[in-house]
């Protein structure tokens, strides 16, 4: 019996969830997806094995909301197409069948796309030194691109809900796109998406609102911030 943390293995609620215990598995990148971003049997086997440990909640790895400018490394997951829902449903079931809640992390890579052969996007046009050595350009997004990205998050969240996930986590950390909008270092905009802290966080807030419109306000959302 754990006497130092006596509540750790006891059931506990988080909002609408009744978790069997207080242990949460954080998301990690396995890069086991197909080249088109679809779930593979290897991905499903990995998470099924983790679920055997009977933690209360598993947050499935970074999954990108579009297949172009927003996707990360090769073999990273996407949920940008309706035909990817079937594979995601198998993944969600592999976790939930063992009594564990399943949440899918959704993300847009932002400037980190510079690590690939796709254009690097951000709130403002600027140059940055990659690793302090290699300069690369970041292209500022138009308002139309911002609105499209918000819709991409909402549609991916809807697909996650259709696949049976218990909720989604919106990735707003580690210099990916949402974190860039929140940061005065990257965000030099002079419109409603830049300047004050309230304006810089507007992009994130609107993503959450779009997800709620698409999935209903009862669908759980975790906000990851740094």
């Amino acid at each position: 019996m754990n006497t130092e943390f006596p509540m750790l293995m006891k059931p506990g609620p988080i909002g609408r969830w009744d978790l069997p215990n207080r242990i949460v598995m954080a998301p990690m990148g396995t890069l086991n997806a197909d080249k088109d971003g679809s779930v593979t049997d290897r991905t499903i086997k990995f998470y099924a094995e983790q679920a055997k440990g009977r933690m209360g909640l598993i947050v499935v790895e970074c999954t990108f909301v579009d297949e172009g400018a927003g996707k990360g490394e090769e073999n990273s997951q996407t949920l940008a197409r309706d035909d990817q829902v079937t594979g995601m449903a198998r993944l969600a079931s592999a976790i939930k069948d063992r009594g564990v809640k399943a949440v899918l992390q959704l993300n847009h890579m932002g400037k980190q796309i510079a690590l690939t052969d796709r254009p690097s996007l951000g709130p403002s046009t600027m140059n940055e030194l990659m690793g302090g050595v290699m300069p690369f350009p970041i292209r500022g997004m138009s308002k139309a691109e911002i609105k499209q990205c918000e819709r991409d998050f909402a549609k991916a969240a809807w697909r996650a809900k259709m696949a049976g996930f218990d909720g989604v986590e919106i990735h707003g950390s580690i210099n990916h796109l949402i974190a860039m909008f929140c940061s005065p270092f990257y965000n030099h905009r002079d419109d409603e998406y830049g300047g004050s802290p309230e304006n810089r966080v507007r992009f994130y807030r609107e993503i959450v609102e779009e997800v709620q419109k698409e999935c209903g306000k009862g669908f759980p959302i975790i906000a990851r911030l740094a």
Side-chain angles (χ1 to χ4, degrees):
M1 179 179 294
N2 190 320
T3 56
E4 187 174 0
F5 303 102
M7 300 297 293
L8 186 61
M9 299 307 297
K10 292 185 177 181
I14 301 179
R16 294 171 179 266
W17 293 330
D18 290 316
L19 302 183
N21 57 60
R22 318 299 176 92
I23 299 174
V24 176
M25 176 179 163
M28 60 185 72
T30 64
L31 300 181
N32 282 333
D34 278 335
K35 288 186 177 181
D36 71 347
S38 298
V39 169
T40 62
D41 290 341
R42 186 175 182 181
T43 304
I44 294 169
K45 182 179 180 181
F46 172 79
Y47 283 101
E49 287 297 316
Q50 304 308 309
K52 286 181 181 179
R54 293 304 302 271
M55 61 277 291
L57 170 67
I58 289 178
V59 182
V60 172
E61 65 194 80
C62 192
T63 301
F64 295 98
V65 300
D66 84 41
E67 299 176 294
K71 185 183 176 184
E73 301 94 333
E74 188 176 8
N75 297 113
S76 54
Q77 286 186 176
T78 63
L79 191 47
R81 307 191 314 270
D82 290 346
D83 67 301
Q84 293 175 316
V85 172
T86 300
M88 282 290 180
R90 292 177 58 215
L91 175 54
S93 292
I95 297 170
K96 296 175 64 174
D97 287 351
R98 290 165 174 79
V100 181
K101 295 293 184 184
V103 168
L104 186 66
Q105 185 187 79
L106 300 178
N107 190 25
H108 185 294
M109 200 73 162
K111 80 180 184 74
Q112 305 281 29
I113 295 301
L115 300 173
T116 74
D117 60 356
R118 291 181 293 280
S120 184
L121 295 179
S124 306
T125 296
M126 61 183 291
N127 289 311
E128 187 180 21
L129 291 179
M130 174 65 76
V133 178
M134 182 180 70
F136 70 93
I138 300 172
R139 181 176 67 76
M141 296 170 68
S142 68
K143 287 186 181 180
E145 288 175 317
I146 289 172
K147 293 301 182 183
Q148 180 60 54
C149 186
E150 292 172 358
R151 288 191 291 270
D152 289 341
F153 270 95
K155 291 302 293 184
W158 178 84
R159 295 183 185 106
K161 182 179 180 179
M162 293 301 100
F165 280 92
D166 296 298
V168 293
E169 178 179 271
I170 308 299
H171 195 335
S173 299
I174 59 173
N175 285 337
H176 291 177
L177 185 64
I178 293 174
M180 293 175 72
F181 268 83
C182 294
S183 167
F185 180 83
Y186 292 107
N187 189 339
H188 307 149
R189 301 178 73 99
D190 58 6
D191 60 8
E192 65 268 35
Y193 292 98
S196 68
E198 180 183 2
N199 282 354
R200 295 198 311 270
V201 80
R202 187 183 305 276
F203 178 50
Y204 201 168
R205 193 189 73 228
E206 289 182 350
I207 287 173
V208 172
E209 290 171 349
E210 287 296 316
V211 171
Q212 289 178 328
K213 289 177 186 177
E214 194 73 34
C215 300
K217 289 193 174 182
F219 187 62
I221 302 170
I222 296 174
R224 179 174 177 176
L225 292 167

